[in-house]
Protein backbone atom coordinates (compact mmCIF):
# COMPACT_ATOMS: atom_id res chain seq x y z
CA UNK A 1 0.00 0.00 0.00
CA UNK A 2 2.74 2.20 0.92
CA UNK A 3 4.57 1.79 -2.46
CA UNK A 4 1.52 2.52 -4.54
CA UNK A 5 0.93 5.73 -2.71
CA UNK A 6 4.47 7.12 -3.46
CA UNK A 7 4.32 10.11 -5.86
CA UNK A 8 6.40 9.86 -9.16
CA UNK A 9 8.76 12.80 -10.09
CA UNK A 10 7.78 15.14 -13.06
CA UNK A 11 10.18 15.40 -16.15
CA UNK A 12 12.14 18.60 -16.50
CA UNK A 13 11.24 19.01 -20.29
CA UNK A 14 8.03 17.88 -21.64
CA UNK A 15 8.16 17.22 -25.43
CA UNK A 16 5.01 16.82 -27.25
CA UNK A 17 4.76 14.73 -30.39
CA UNK A 18 3.50 17.58 -32.58
CA UNK A 19 6.44 19.84 -31.67
CA UNK A 20 9.00 17.22 -32.64
CA UNK A 21 7.31 16.66 -35.90
CA UNK A 22 7.35 20.33 -36.76
CA UNK A 23 11.04 20.82 -35.97
CA UNK A 24 11.97 17.76 -37.91
CA UNK A 25 10.10 18.99 -40.94
CA UNK A 26 11.85 22.35 -40.71
CA UNK A 27 15.24 20.68 -40.63
CA UNK A 28 14.39 18.53 -43.58
CA UNK A 29 13.16 21.56 -45.50
CA UNK A 30 16.32 23.55 -44.83
CA UNK A 31 18.47 20.59 -45.78
CA UNK A 32 16.62 20.17 -49.03
CA UNK A 33 17.05 23.88 -49.74
CA UNK A 34 20.81 23.67 -49.12
CA UNK A 35 20.99 20.66 -51.38
CA UNK A 36 19.28 22.60 -54.16
CA UNK A 37 21.62 25.56 -53.61
CA UNK A 38 24.68 23.28 -53.75
CA UNK A 39 23.36 21.66 -56.88
CA UNK A 40 22.74 25.09 -58.48
CA UNK A 41 26.20 26.26 -57.45
CA UNK A 42 27.75 23.15 -58.96
CA UNK A 43 25.93 23.84 -62.20
CA UNK A 44 27.09 27.48 -62.13
CA UNK A 45 30.66 26.44 -61.33
CA UNK A 46 30.65 23.99 -64.23
CA UNK A 47 29.31 26.69 -66.54
CA UNK A 48 31.95 29.16 -65.28
CA UNK A 49 34.67 26.58 -65.69
CA UNK A 50 33.61 26.14 -69.28
CA UNK A 51 33.61 29.95 -69.84
CA UNK A 52 36.98 30.35 -68.07
CA UNK A 53 38.53 27.54 -70.08
CA UNK A 54 37.19 29.02 -73.31
CA UNK A 55 38.44 32.54 -72.50
CA UNK A 56 41.81 31.27 -71.34
CA UNK A 57 42.16 29.25 -74.54
CA UNK A 58 41.19 32.32 -76.58
CA UNK A 59 43.76 34.46 -74.75
CA UNK A 60 46.45 31.79 -75.05
CA UNK A 61 45.73 31.53 -78.76
CA UNK A 62 45.98 35.30 -79.20
CA UNK A 63 49.09 35.46 -77.03
CA UNK A 64 50.70 32.58 -78.88
CA UNK A 65 50.05 34.30 -82.22
CA UNK A 66 51.46 37.56 -80.84
CA UNK A 67 54.62 35.86 -79.54
CA UNK A 68 55.08 34.10 -82.86
CA UNK A 69 54.78 37.40 -84.76
CA UNK A 70 57.10 39.07 -82.26
CA UNK A 71 59.81 36.43 -82.70
CA UNK A 72 59.47 36.76 -86.48
CA UNK A 73 59.85 40.55 -86.24
CA UNK A 74 62.89 40.32 -83.93
CA UNK A 75 64.51 37.86 -86.32
CA UNK A 76 63.97 40.27 -89.22
CA UNK A 77 65.43 43.09 -87.12
CA UNK A 78 68.56 41.08 -86.42
CA UNK A 79 68.87 40.46 -90.14
CA UNK A 80 68.53 44.20 -90.90
CA UNK A 81 71.10 45.08 -88.23
CA UNK A 82 73.49 42.59 -89.79
CA UNK A 83 72.97 44.29 -93.16
CA UNK A 84 73.69 47.69 -91.64
CA UNK A 85 76.99 46.38 -90.30
CA UNK A 86 77.74 45.20 -93.83
CA UNK A 87 76.83 48.66 -95.13
CA UNK A 88 79.43 50.20 -92.78
CA UNK A 89 82.04 47.87 -94.24
CA UNK A 90 81.12 49.00 -97.75
CA UNK A 91 81.37 52.63 -96.65
CA UNK A 92 84.77 52.08 -95.07
CA UNK A 93 86.13 50.56 -98.28
CA UNK A 94 84.57 53.24 -100.49
CA UNK A 95 86.10 56.05 -98.39
CA UNK A 96 89.70 54.81 -98.59
CA UNK A 97 91.50 57.94 -99.86
CA UNK A 98 94.04 56.19 -102.07
CA UNK A 99 91.74 53.47 -103.41
CA UNK A 100 92.28 52.89 -107.11
CA UNK A 101 91.12 50.25 -109.54
CA UNK A 102 94.23 48.09 -109.09
CA UNK A 103 94.10 48.13 -105.30
CA UNK A 104 90.36 47.46 -105.39
CA UNK A 105 90.75 44.47 -107.69
CA UNK A 106 93.57 43.05 -105.56
CA UNK A 107 92.22 43.56 -102.03
CA UNK A 108 88.47 44.16 -102.07
CA UNK A 109 86.80 43.00 -105.30
CA UNK A 110 85.95 39.47 -104.14
CA UNK A 111 84.51 40.66 -100.83
CA UNK A 112 82.51 43.48 -102.44
CA UNK A 113 81.00 41.11 -105.01
CA UNK A 114 79.79 38.83 -102.20
CA UNK A 115 78.38 41.78 -100.25
CA UNK A 116 76.66 43.07 -103.39
CA UNK A 117 74.82 39.76 -103.78
CA UNK A 118 73.79 39.78 -100.12
CA UNK A 119 72.51 43.35 -100.36
CA UNK A 120 70.53 42.59 -103.50
CA UNK A 121 68.81 39.73 -101.67
CA UNK A 122 68.31 41.98 -98.66
CA UNK A 123 66.39 44.60 -100.63
CA UNK A 124 63.53 42.12 -100.97
CA UNK A 125 63.90 41.12 -97.32
CA UNK A 126 63.25 44.72 -96.28
CA UNK A 127 59.65 44.29 -97.43
CA UNK A 128 59.43 41.17 -95.27
CA UNK A 129 60.58 43.19 -92.28
CA UNK A 130 57.90 45.80 -92.89
CA UNK A 131 55.32 43.06 -93.33
CA UNK A 132 56.32 41.35 -90.08
CA UNK A 133 55.98 44.63 -88.15
CA UNK A 134 52.54 45.20 -89.66
CA UNK A 135 51.43 41.69 -88.70
CA UNK A 136 52.82 42.15 -85.20
CA UNK A 137 50.85 45.38 -84.74
CA UNK A 138 47.67 43.69 -85.95
CA UNK A 139 48.22 40.75 -83.61
CA UNK A 140 48.81 43.12 -80.70
CA UNK A 141 45.53 44.94 -81.35
CA UNK A 142 43.68 41.61 -81.37
CA UNK A 143 45.36 40.61 -78.12
CA UNK A 144 44.15 43.82 -76.45
CA UNK A 145 40.63 44.01 -77.86
CA UNK A 146 39.55 40.40 -78.36
CA UNK A 147 40.84 38.62 -75.27
CA UNK A 148 37.53 38.87 -73.30
CA UNK A 149 39.51 38.67 -70.08
CA UNK A 150 37.16 41.18 -68.48
CA UNK A 151 34.58 38.39 -68.29
CA UNK A 152 36.72 36.29 -65.96
CA UNK A 153 39.20 38.73 -64.38
CA UNK A 154 39.42 42.09 -62.68
CA UNK A 155 41.12 45.00 -64.49
CA UNK A 156 44.15 44.89 -62.20
CA UNK A 157 44.70 41.24 -63.08
CA UNK A 158 44.32 41.97 -66.78
CA UNK A 159 46.91 44.75 -66.56
CA UNK A 160 49.41 42.42 -64.93
CA UNK A 161 48.75 39.73 -67.50
CA UNK A 162 49.31 42.15 -70.42
CA UNK A 163 52.34 43.91 -68.91
CA UNK A 164 54.95 41.81 -70.74
CA UNK A 165 53.19 41.88 -74.15
CA UNK A 166 53.00 45.66 -73.76
CA UNK A 167 56.76 45.74 -73.09
CA UNK A 168 57.41 43.62 -76.19
CA UNK A 169 55.26 45.87 -78.38
CA UNK A 170 56.98 49.00 -77.04
CA UNK A 171 60.37 47.50 -77.86
CA UNK A 172 59.19 46.63 -81.38
CA UNK A 173 57.93 50.21 -81.86
CA UNK A 174 61.30 51.61 -80.81
CA UNK A 175 63.14 49.38 -83.28
CA UNK A 176 60.76 50.33 -86.08
CA UNK A 177 61.13 54.04 -85.28
CA UNK A 178 64.93 53.68 -85.30
CA UNK A 179 64.91 52.08 -88.74
CA UNK A 180 62.61 54.82 -90.06
CA UNK A 181 64.67 57.62 -88.47
CA UNK A 182 67.94 56.35 -89.96
CA UNK A 183 66.44 55.45 -93.37
CA UNK A 184 67.65 51.88 -93.09
CA UNK A 185 65.98 50.73 -96.31
CA UNK A 186 67.43 53.62 -98.34
CA UNK A 187 70.87 53.12 -96.81
CA UNK A 188 70.88 49.47 -97.83
CA UNK A 189 69.77 50.32 -101.37
CA UNK A 190 72.42 53.03 -101.60
CA UNK A 191 75.10 50.61 -100.36
CA UNK A 192 74.15 48.21 -103.15
CA UNK A 193 74.57 51.03 -105.68
CA UNK A 194 77.99 51.81 -104.15
CA UNK A 195 79.11 48.21 -104.67
CA UNK A 196 78.19 48.45 -108.34
CA UNK A 197 80.08 51.75 -108.61
CA UNK A 198 83.15 50.30 -106.94
CA UNK A 199 83.23 47.54 -109.50
CA UNK A 200 83.20 50.06 -112.38
CA UNK A 201 86.79 51.00 -113.25
CA UNK A 202 85.65 54.24 -114.94
CA UNK A 203 84.68 55.66 -111.55
CA UNK A 204 88.29 55.79 -110.34
CA UNK A 205 89.19 58.68 -112.64
CA UNK A 206 87.68 62.13 -113.13
CA UNK A 207 87.94 63.97 -116.42
CA UNK A 208 87.92 67.74 -116.06
CA UNK A 209 87.59 70.41 -118.70
CA UNK A 210 90.91 71.53 -120.22
CA UNK A 211 92.73 74.19 -118.23
CA UNK A 212 95.99 76.10 -118.41
CA UNK A 213 98.13 75.97 -115.25
CA UNK A 214 99.87 79.12 -114.11
CA UNK A 215 103.03 79.68 -112.09
CA UNK A 216 104.34 76.87 -109.90
CA UNK A 217 101.30 75.47 -108.15
CA UNK A 218 97.84 74.45 -109.19
CA UNK A 219 95.12 73.98 -106.61
CA UNK A 220 92.04 71.80 -107.04
CA UNK A 221 89.09 72.49 -104.79
CA UNK A 222 87.27 69.16 -104.88
CA UNK A 223 83.66 68.78 -103.74
CA UNK A 224 82.24 65.25 -103.80
CA UNK A 225 78.47 65.29 -103.70
CA UNK A 226 75.64 63.27 -105.29
CA UNK A 227 74.45 64.23 -108.72
CA UNK A 228 70.87 63.75 -107.58
CA UNK A 229 70.80 65.67 -104.28
CA UNK A 230 67.09 65.05 -103.67
CA UNK A 231 67.40 61.30 -103.98
CA UNK A 232 70.47 60.82 -101.80
CA UNK A 233 70.30 63.78 -99.45
CA UNK A 234 69.27 61.67 -96.45
CA UNK A 235 72.14 59.21 -96.45
CA UNK A 236 75.04 60.85 -98.28
CA UNK A 237 77.86 62.78 -96.67
CA UNK A 238 79.32 65.55 -98.82
CA UNK A 239 83.13 65.61 -98.80
CA UNK A 240 85.35 68.60 -99.49
CA UNK A 241 89.11 68.82 -99.75
CA UNK A 242 91.85 70.83 -101.46
CA UNK A 243 94.47 69.14 -103.60
CA UNK A 244 97.63 71.02 -104.58
CA UNK A 245 99.95 69.89 -107.34
CA UNK A 246 103.31 71.43 -108.15
CA UNK A 247 103.91 72.19 -111.83
CA UNK A 248 107.16 71.17 -113.49
CA UNK A 249 108.81 71.83 -116.82
CA UNK A 250 109.26 75.04 -118.74
CA UNK A 251 110.98 78.27 -117.82
CA UNK A 252 109.93 80.34 -114.84
CA UNK A 253 110.70 84.06 -114.48
CA UNK A 254 110.67 85.72 -111.05
CA UNK A 255 111.26 89.20 -109.79
CA UNK A 256 112.73 89.34 -106.30
CA UNK A 257 113.84 92.00 -103.86
CA UNK A 258 116.38 91.75 -101.06
CA UNK A 259 119.82 92.66 -99.79
CA UNK A 260 123.21 92.13 -101.38
CA UNK A 261 126.79 92.52 -100.22
CA UNK A 262 129.66 92.89 -102.71
CA UNK A 263 133.45 92.89 -102.40
CA UNK A 264 135.55 94.75 -104.98
CA UNK A 265 139.04 94.37 -103.58
CA UNK A 266 141.30 97.44 -103.33
CA UNK A 267 140.13 100.52 -105.17
CA UNK A 268 141.54 104.02 -105.40
CA UNK A 269 139.71 106.51 -103.21
CA UNK A 270 140.24 110.29 -102.95
CA UNK A 271 139.60 113.00 -100.41
CA UNK A 272 140.57 116.57 -99.43
CA UNK A 273 143.54 116.48 -97.09
CA UNK A 274 144.35 118.79 -94.18
CA UNK A 275 146.13 121.12 -96.53
CA UNK A 276 143.03 121.34 -98.77
CA UNK A 277 144.75 119.33 -101.45
CA UNK A 278 143.26 116.33 -103.25
CA UNK A 279 144.83 113.11 -102.05
CA UNK A 280 144.34 109.51 -103.24
CA UNK A 281 144.71 106.19 -101.39
CA UNK A 282 143.88 102.48 -101.86
CA UNK A 283 141.24 100.80 -99.72
CA UNK A 284 139.43 97.48 -99.64
CA UNK A 285 135.88 98.24 -100.68
CA UNK A 286 132.77 96.37 -99.48
CA UNK A 287 129.37 97.61 -100.58
CA UNK A 288 125.87 96.71 -99.39
CA UNK A 289 122.77 97.64 -101.32
CA UNK A 290 119.10 97.02 -101.87
CA UNK A 291 118.96 94.74 -104.87
CA UNK A 292 116.27 93.77 -107.33
CA UNK A 293 116.83 90.63 -109.41
CA UNK A 294 115.17 88.95 -112.32
CA UNK A 295 115.63 85.18 -112.10
CA UNK A 296 115.12 82.59 -114.79
CA UNK A 297 114.92 78.95 -113.75
CA UNK A 298 113.71 75.57 -114.91
CA UNK A 299 110.45 74.78 -113.11
CA UNK A 300 110.71 71.76 -110.80
CA UNK A 301 108.43 70.09 -108.25
CA UNK A 302 111.04 69.94 -105.49
CA UNK A 303 111.87 72.45 -102.82
CA UNK A 304 115.18 73.35 -104.47
CA UNK A 305 115.65 74.62 -108.00
CA UNK A 306 118.47 76.29 -109.88
CA UNK A 307 118.58 79.24 -112.23
CA UNK A 308 120.36 82.43 -113.11
CA UNK A 309 119.75 86.01 -112.00
CA UNK A 310 120.57 89.49 -113.14
CA UNK A 311 119.65 92.78 -111.54
CA UNK A 312 120.59 96.19 -110.19
CA UNK A 313 121.36 97.62 -106.79
CA UNK A 314 120.42 100.91 -105.15
CA UNK A 315 122.90 102.86 -103.05
CA UNK A 316 122.75 106.16 -101.19
CA UNK A 317 125.39 108.40 -102.78
CA UNK A 318 125.67 112.01 -101.69
CA UNK A 319 122.41 111.73 -99.85
CA UNK A 320 120.65 110.54 -103.00
CA UNK A 321 119.33 107.11 -103.91
CA UNK A 322 121.09 106.01 -107.09
CA UNK A 323 121.46 102.92 -109.22
CA UNK A 324 125.16 102.32 -108.95
CA UNK A 325 125.83 98.61 -109.41
CA UNK A 326 124.76 95.62 -111.44
CA UNK A 327 124.65 91.92 -110.54
CA UNK A 328 124.66 88.65 -112.43
CA UNK A 329 125.19 85.08 -111.30
CA UNK A 330 123.75 81.60 -110.63
CA UNK A 331 120.87 81.30 -108.16
CA UNK A 332 119.50 78.64 -105.84
CA UNK A 333 115.71 78.80 -105.42
CA UNK A 334 114.39 77.58 -102.06
CA UNK A 335 110.73 76.67 -101.45
CA UNK A 336 107.66 75.81 -103.50
CA UNK A 337 105.01 78.41 -102.91
CA UNK A 338 106.95 81.09 -101.02
CA UNK A 339 110.43 81.36 -102.55
CA UNK A 340 113.74 82.65 -101.26
CA UNK A 341 116.61 83.15 -103.72
CA UNK A 342 120.30 82.88 -102.87
CA UNK A 343 122.52 84.29 -105.56
CA UNK A 344 126.33 84.35 -105.80
CA UNK A 345 128.09 85.96 -108.73
CA UNK A 346 129.79 88.99 -110.28
CA UNK A 347 128.98 92.58 -109.54
CA UNK A 348 129.80 95.63 -111.63
CA UNK A 349 129.89 98.88 -109.65
CA UNK A 350 130.71 102.48 -110.44
CA UNK A 351 133.36 103.33 -107.85
CA UNK A 352 134.45 106.72 -109.34
CA UNK A 353 138.12 107.73 -109.24
CA UNK A 354 140.14 110.93 -109.34
CA UNK A 355 140.80 112.28 -112.81
CA UNK A 356 144.35 112.39 -114.11
CA UNK A 357 146.22 115.58 -113.27
CA UNK A 358 144.17 116.49 -110.18
CA UNK A 359 146.25 114.69 -107.59
CA UNK A 360 147.71 117.28 -105.17
CA UNK A 361 145.48 120.04 -106.51
CA UNK A 362 144.44 122.56 -103.88
CA UNK A 363 140.66 122.97 -103.79
CA UNK A 364 138.20 124.77 -101.52
CA UNK A 365 137.03 122.62 -98.60
CA UNK A 366 133.40 123.12 -99.55
CA UNK A 367 133.89 122.41 -103.20
CA UNK A 368 131.94 119.59 -104.88
CA UNK A 369 134.45 116.89 -105.75
CA UNK A 370 132.24 115.33 -108.43
CA UNK A 371 133.79 117.51 -111.08
CA UNK A 372 137.24 116.16 -110.17
CA UNK A 373 136.26 112.51 -110.54
CA UNK A 374 135.21 110.25 -113.32
CA UNK A 375 133.22 107.04 -113.70
CA UNK A 376 135.09 103.81 -113.28
CA UNK A 377 133.41 100.44 -113.16
CA UNK A 378 134.94 97.79 -110.97
CA UNK A 379 134.12 94.10 -111.10
CA UNK A 380 133.69 92.29 -107.78
CA UNK A 381 131.90 89.36 -106.26
CA UNK A 382 128.57 89.52 -104.44
CA UNK A 383 126.12 87.41 -102.49
CA UNK A 384 122.44 88.25 -102.12
CA UNK A 385 119.35 86.92 -100.42
CA UNK A 386 116.06 87.96 -102.01
CA UNK A 387 112.37 87.13 -101.74
CA UNK A 388 110.12 86.52 -104.74
CA UNK A 389 107.65 89.31 -105.42
CA UNK A 390 106.48 88.09 -108.80
CA UNK A 391 102.89 89.10 -109.38
CA UNK A 392 100.60 86.13 -108.71
CA UNK A 393 103.61 83.97 -107.87
CA UNK A 394 101.70 82.65 -104.88
CA UNK A 395 98.30 82.83 -106.49
CA UNK A 396 96.58 79.50 -106.99
CA UNK A 397 93.93 78.37 -109.40
CA UNK A 398 90.93 78.25 -107.04
CA UNK A 399 88.36 76.40 -109.18
CA UNK A 400 88.95 74.17 -112.16
CA UNK A 401 85.71 73.01 -113.70
Amino acid sequence: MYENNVAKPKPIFEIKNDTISTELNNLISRYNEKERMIENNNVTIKKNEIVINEKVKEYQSLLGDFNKKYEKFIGDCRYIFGLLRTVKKVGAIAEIPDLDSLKYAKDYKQEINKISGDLLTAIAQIDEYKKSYSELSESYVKLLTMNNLDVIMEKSGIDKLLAYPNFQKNKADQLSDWFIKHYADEVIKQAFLVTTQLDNTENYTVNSYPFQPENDMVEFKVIIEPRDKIKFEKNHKTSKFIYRQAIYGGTRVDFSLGLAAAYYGKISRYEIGLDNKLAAYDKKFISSSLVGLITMSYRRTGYIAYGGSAGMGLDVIGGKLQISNFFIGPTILLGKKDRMFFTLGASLKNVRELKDGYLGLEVPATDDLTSYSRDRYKIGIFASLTYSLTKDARALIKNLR
Side-chain angles (χ1 to χ4, degrees):
M1 289 294 292
Y2 174 78
E3 292 179 359
N4 290 335
N5 293 329
V6 174
K8 295 180 180 180
K10 293 183 179 181
I12 299 173
F13 298 102
E14 186 176 354
I15 301 175
K16 297 182 179 180
N17 290 334
D18 54 351
T19 302
I20 294 173
S21 177
T22 300
E23 293 297 329
L24 182 59
N25 289 334
N26 290 336
L27 290 173
I28 292 172
S29 177
R30 286 196 297 270
Y31 174 77
N32 291 334
E33 184 179 355
K34 296 297 182 181
E35 282 288 331
R36 286 192 300 272
M37 290 177 63
I38 292 173
E39 184 176 353
N40 291 336
N41 287 338
N42 288 334
V43 173
T44 302
I45 290 172
K46 288 181 180 180
K47 289 181 180 179
N48 289 338
E49 286 179 350
I50 293 173
V51 173
I52 291 172
N53 289 335
E54 289 177 353
K55 301 307 177 186
V56 169
K57 287 181 180 179
E58 290 177 3
Y59 173 75
Q60 289 178 343
S61 176
L62 293 172
L63 181 62
D65 182 68
F66 173 78
N67 288 331
K68 181 179 178 181
K69 299 293 175 55
Y70 179 77
E71 292 299 328
K72 174 68 167 55
F73 174 74
I74 293 299
D76 290 340
C77 286
R78 292 193 182 101
Y79 180 72
I80 297 297
F81 275 119
L83 291 176
L84 294 178
R85 286 191 290 269
T86 302
V87 168
K88 288 186 177 180
K89 183 182 294 185
V90 173
I93 295 174
E95 292 179 0
I96 296 176
D98 59 344
L99 183 65
D100 55 28
S101 57
L102 296 178
K103 186 174 183 179
Y104 168 77
K106 179 182 177 182
D107 300 333
Y108 304 107
K109 181 178 177 63
Q110 184 175 357
E111 183 177 9
I112 289 295
N113 287 341
K114 179 181 181 303
I115 291 175
S116 181
D118 294 340
L119 292 176
L120 183 60
T121 304
I123 292 175
Q125 189 66 25
I126 293 175
D127 294 332
E128 287 297 320
Y129 151 76
K130 294 180 179 179
K131 178 182 177 182
S132 66
Y133 178 72
S134 177
E135 292 177 348
L136 174 65
S137 299
E138 181 181 355
S139 178
Y140 178 71
V141 172
K142 290 181 179 179
L143 180 65
L144 292 183
T145 60
M146 300 176 62
N147 55 54
N148 294 319
L149 291 177
D150 55 335
V151 177
I152 60 174
M153 296 180 67
E154 296 292 335
K155 185 179 183 304
S156 60
I158 296 175
D159 292 340
K160 292 180 181 179
L161 198 61
L162 294 176
Y164 189 67
N166 289 336
F167 167 77
Q168 291 174 302
K169 182 58 169 59
N170 184 55
K171 180 180 178 181
D173 291 340
Q174 291 176 353
L175 289 172
S176 178
D177 292 342
W178 189 92
F179 287 136
I180 294 173
K181 180 180 178 181
H182 292 84
Y183 309 99
D185 52 346
E186 294 185 18
V187 169
I188 292 172
K189 292 176 183 178
Q190 178 66 15
F192 172 72
L193 294 177
V194 171
T195 60
T196 60
Q197 295 297 317
L198 286 173
D199 212 38
N200 186 353
T201 56
E202 294 181 357
N203 292 323
Y204 292 89
T205 57
V206 176
N207 295 324
S208 68
Y209 292 105
F211 63 91
Q212 179 63 47
E214 298 178 1
N215 303 313
D216 293 333
M217 189 79 68
V218 62
E219 178 180 286
F220 295 88
K221 186 176 182 181
V222 182
I223 302 176
I224 302 176
E225 58 184 10
R227 293 184 177 92
D228 189 346
K229 295 183 179 180
I230 298 177
K231 184 176 181 181
F232 300 118
E233 180 181 4
K234 299 175 182 177
N235 55 12
H236 184 87
K237 181 176 64 176
T238 300
S239 300
K240 298 180 181 180
F241 64 91
I242 294 176
Y243 173 74
R244 295 182 177 91
Q245 176 62 50
I247 300 173
Y248 61 92
T251 301
R252 173 186 171 88
V253 178
D254 287 281
F255 172 73
S256 60
L257 189 66
L259 297 175
Y263 175 69
Y264 298 94
K266 289 184 178 182
I267 63 173
S268 177
R269 305 297 291 169
Y270 59 92
E271 63 181 7
I272 299 177
L274 297 177
D275 53 359
N276 290 334
K277 293 181 179 181
L278 291 175
Y281 61 93
D282 292 335
K283 181 181 178 181
K284 293 181 179 179
F285 184 62
I286 298 176
S287 172
S288 61
S289 59
L290 179 67
V291 61
L293 297 177
I294 294 177
T295 302
M296 297 184 66
S297 61
Y298 181 77
R299 187 177 281 110
R300 300 181 60 187
T301 59
Y303 285 93
I304 298 177
Y306 302 95
S309 299
M312 297 180 293
L314 299 177
D315 282 343
V316 177
I317 301 176
K320 297 180 180 181
L321 193 63
Q322 297 181 4
I323 298 175
S324 60
N325 48 358
F326 303 90
F327 304 95
I328 188 170
T331 300
I332 298 178
L333 290 73
L334 306 173
K336 278 189 175 181
K337 190 167 71 171
D338 295 321
R339 290 179 175 267
M340 297 290 293
F341 301 158
F342 178 74
T343 305
L344 185 66
S347 172
L348 181 65
K349 181 176 177 62
N350 183 5
V351 295
R352 297 193 69 84
E353 66 178 5
L354 193 64
K355 294 180 180 178
D356 295 337
Y358 287 98
L359 183 63
L361 179 67
E362 185 175 349
V363 296
T366 58
D367 201 1
D368 184 6
L369 299 183
T370 304
S371 60
Y372 303 105
S373 63
R374 63 185 176 188
D375 291 336
R376 184 194 175 192
Y377 288 92
K378 178 78 172 177
I379 297 176
I381 59 174
F382 82 97
S384 68
L385 187 63
T386 58
Y387 178 76
S388 176
L389 295 178
T390 303
K391 183 180 179 181
D392 296 330
R394 297 184 303 277
L396 304 176
I397 299 174
K398 296 298 183 182
N399 292 289
L400 297 174
R401 300 183 182 276

